[in-house]
Amino acid sequence: MARDKRSYISGMTLHIPFDNSYAALPDSFYSRVEPEPVKDPSLIAINEPLARELGIDGLDDPMLAAIFAGNAVPDGASPLAQLYAGHQFGQYNPQLGDGRAVLLGETVGKDGIRRDIQLKGSGRTPYSRMGDGRAWLGPVLREYVVSEAMHALGVPTTRALAAVRTGERVVRERPLPGAVLTRVAQSHLRVGTFQVFAARGDIASLQTLFDYAVARHYPEATDPATFLDAVMRRQAALVAQWLSLGFIHGVMNTDNCSISGETIDYGPCAFMDSYHPATVFSSIDRFGRYGYAAQADIIVWNMAQLATALLSLMPDPEASVEAFTAKIHAMPEMIRAEWLSRFGKKIGIAQAVPEDATLITNLLALMEDSETDFTNTFRGLVDGTARDLFADPTGFDQWTETWTARIDGEDDPEGAMRAANPVLIPRNHRIEEMIQAAVNGDDSLFHRLNAAYAAPYEDAPDYEDLRRGPLPTEVVQATFCGT
Ligand code: AMP
Ligand code: MG
């Protein structure tokens, strides 16, 4: 197989300016593994603007589909599967790792930021356990659309560079078309990457990982304590941003929690339609551990796991327990402050103060009672349509009086609200509809959604149909993992 690949490479015009640092780490960090070729690759999409940012050229390569399916490995790549562990629904799993993904390598983009380029769904690796190493079309397109939408919404996230059909079937509940996603991330370091070495007592590797993570993401951090602070700050900001957009990640296991503070591992993720704090979509989240509002608590739990792993790096771990615990205990307040700032802007307050929290929670309570659409209610504050969403607007009218008085002194409440309240979010029923069409060979909805969600804060007369919530017949009850 390897020889076949070499012959592809000779004619390749695609150029990815690889500059690989992870592959230079010790062998204990990964397994070298090539993507497994697929039968009949065909390109669904290539994200040209992102490719340009990464310094990639030669996108007219006729082999593009083969390359992003893993059939041809581009020059300069050093393919490997990363090792990690993690708590899955609270249970520690001592060995996970890239079971269906291969890191091709890294590039340093025009912005000077180093990023991973990874194939997801590219075949078995030493970490595949019982899995087939593959992905089916649905989760690949879901991740493509949702991660790109998240980026356009201004949320730190991994991004989608390409999607390819494999021409093979993968067996899930039934045989489904296979696909490979090419994903770009500031790195794929996870809380679980720290956990695996700490749990094994491999302190030398843990120290190497720490130094690597500091250099790559937090050069300002001087020791494990300041590193923990920095990761917590980014995660607090990230989760508050998710909450402010009604985003539910769905599987916040510690292996799906990125050190760089990006949204990563889109599985059964979903945006909430009508507001309810306990909203859960994921079919495997039976107890609501990762429900909408629970995300603010679970991120603290995840950071406690990171803190535990980092303790092993302290000269006297026992002596540092108290200080690290105090940091974790301070995180809810950090999240509350981020939440207040985000939701303040959603109601037109540039810099919310703690006293504004009541105004925000009162509106949310009204929304919960009337089951109004989260996205449309907030955007409706800008264009005056919010009131129409309440079957009985009495409470909303009273709230509006207090609200109007509060934002009276603000410089530009409308501008703040337009920038914080999107017109469009990737709604589940649209995603499902798009996946269904693609399974039947029609990618037009996929391309339409990508176009629509590229400018989610702008009024979008052409996409009016994408604004409304699901009709009773369209409601998506559950979303499923990519596995
Ligand atoms: P997730 O929660 O989807 O990020 O996946 C958890 C773990 O399961 C990771 O180690 C994945 O690499 C692995 N995994 C998920 N799906 C598959 C698959 N189809 N084949 C092999 N490993 C998989
Ligand atoms: Mg994962």
Side-chain angles (χ1 to χ4, degrees):
M1 205 51 85
R3 216 169 294 123
D4 289 347
K5 285 180 195 158
R6 299 280 171 268
S7 65
Y8 281 131
I9 291 170
S10 58
M12 209 180 267
T13 57
L14 180 86
H15 175 67
I16 304 178
F18 283 112
D19 177 6
N20 305 329
S21 64
Y22 207 83
L25 291 173
D27 292 348
S28 57
F29 281 68
Y30 52 79
S31 295
R32 291 198 186 272
V33 55
E34 300 241 323
E36 279 182 303
V38 302
K39 199 166 107 199
D40 183 19
S42 62
L43 191 68
I44 303 166
I46 173 84
N47 186 340
E48 291 189 23
L50 176 59
R52 275 195 297 276
E53 283 171 42
L54 299 175
I56 298 176
D57 42 48
L59 291 181
D60 53 354
D61 196 318
M63 296 300 302
L64 218 52
I67 296 163
F68 289 114
N71 285 22
V73 177
D75 249 345
S78 15
L80 57 85
Q82 293 180 323
L83 170 72
Y84 52 84
H87 278 90
Q88 300 178 301
F89 291 90
Q91 291 290 323
Y92 186 66
N93 189 329
Q95 201 207 283
L96 293 165
D98 292 333
R100 54 166 160 175
V102 165
L103 175 69
L104 288 181
E106 302 138 40
T107 64
V108 179
K110 296 193 168 133
D111 53 6
I113 296 177
R114 174 178 296 278
R115 291 187 181 82
D116 285 2
I117 301 181
Q118 189 202 59
L119 302 182
K120 189 171 171 186
S122 53
R124 289 182 55 82
T125 77
Y127 313 119
S128 296
R129 295 171 293 154
M130 304 302 279
D132 59 3
R134 293 296 181 192
W136 76 273
L137 186 62
V140 166
L141 297 185
R142 174 191 292 273
E143 176 158 350
Y144 195 113
V145 172
V146 178
S147 67
E148 284 303 299
M150 289 285 270
H151 173 72
L153 286 162
V155 185
T157 177
T158 61
R159 298 197 58 191
L161 179 62
V164 173
R165 277 189 180 75
T166 60
E168 294 174 356
R169 300 242 144 203
V170 294
V171 180
R172 294 297 180 261
E173 300 84 45
R174 58 194 165 100
L176 290 159
V180 177
L181 177 77
T182 304
R183 167 163 88 171
V184 173
Q186 292 209 6
S187 87
H188 285 84
L189 298 181
R190 306 144 190 277
V191 170
T193 321
F194 283 81
Q195 288 182 283
V196 73
F197 296 124
R200 290 176 177 185
D202 180 355
I203 306 306
S205 296
L206 187 63
Q207 184 66 50
T208 303
L209 173 65
F210 174 76
D211 294 339
Y212 181 85
V214 167
R216 189 158 172 181
H217 299 301
Y218 300 98
E220 72 281 11
T222 50
D223 58 14
T226 50
F227 176 79
L228 178 63
D229 287 335
V231 179
M232 286 197 316
R233 265 196 301 277
R234 279 198 210 167
Q235 285 292 346
L238 180 68
V239 169
Q241 213 174 350
W242 289 355
L243 296 175
S244 80
L245 294 166
F247 178 76
I248 305 165
H249 180 284
V251 217
M252 288 175 73
N253 292 335
T254 57
D255 54 302
N256 294 337
C257 183
S258 107
I259 293 298
S260 76
E262 290 181 310
T263 312
I264 195 170
D265 279 10
Y266 290 83
C269 62
F271 281 80
M272 184 162 62
D273 294 300
S274 57
Y275 176 70
H276 196 292
T279 306
V280 177
F281 285 99
S282 170
S283 60
I284 56 170
D285 191 1
R286 282 182 300 151
F287 303 106
R289 179 179 171 92
Y290 301 137
Y292 169 76
Q295 298 181 115
D297 299 325
I298 212 73
I299 193 59
V300 179
W301 194 89
N302 286 354
M303 289 298 102
Q305 307 316 310
L306 177 63
T308 304
L310 289 170
L311 270 177
S312 309
L313 290 174
M314 300 305 283
D316 180 356
E318 277 302 313
S320 300
V321 169
E322 207 175 308
F324 277 46
T325 306
K327 288 182 187 300
I328 297 299
H329 285 170
M331 194 181 182
E333 187 46 46
M334 217 186 249
I335 298 172
R336 254 193 302 279
E338 294 284 352
W339 179 92
L340 182 64
S341 165
R342 289 273 170 202
F343 276 81
K345 293 187 174 69
K346 290 181 83 66
I347 62 168
I349 302 170
Q351 283 184 339
V353 291
E355 294 71 50
D356 293 320
T358 313
L359 191 59
I360 299 164
T361 50
N362 285 349
L363 175 60
L364 290 172
L366 290 167
M367 289 165 61
E368 182 181 341
D369 282 347
S370 301
E371 300 180 25
T372 65
D373 186 89
F374 182 81
T375 304
N376 292 346
T377 307
F378 279 107
R379 186 69 183 197
L381 296 178
V382 182
D383 56 27
T385 56
R387 185 178 192 273
D388 308 341
L389 301 175
F390 292 85
D392 173 4
T394 318
F396 181 76
D397 287 340
Q398 283 163 359
W399 179 84
T400 304
E401 277 184 34
T402 322
W403 174 55
T404 318
R406 170 62 185 89
I407 60 172
D408 197 28
E410 289 286 318
D411 279 346
D412 182 18
E414 186 179 328
M417 290 191 286
R418 281 186 184 279
N421 300 330
V423 175
L424 297 176
I425 45 143
R427 293 182 185 271
N428 299 314
H429 64 294
R430 294 304 182 189
I431 298 285
E432 294 297 331
E433 178 184 48
M434 172 276 288
I435 291 171
Q436 207 44 59
V439 166
N440 296 325
D442 174 6
D443 294 349
S444 60
L445 292 183
F446 167 76
H447 294 297
R448 181 168 189 260
L449 293 188
N450 283 322
Y453 302 147
Y457 295 100
E458 282 165 31
D459 290 319
D462 292 346
Y463 299 118
E464 214 34 55
D465 57 312
L466 300 181
R467 282 195 76 178
R468 70 163 172 81
L471 303 172
T473 51
E474 293 172 326
V475 174
V476 175
Q477 302 294 352
T479 50
F480 298 88
C481 270
T483 45

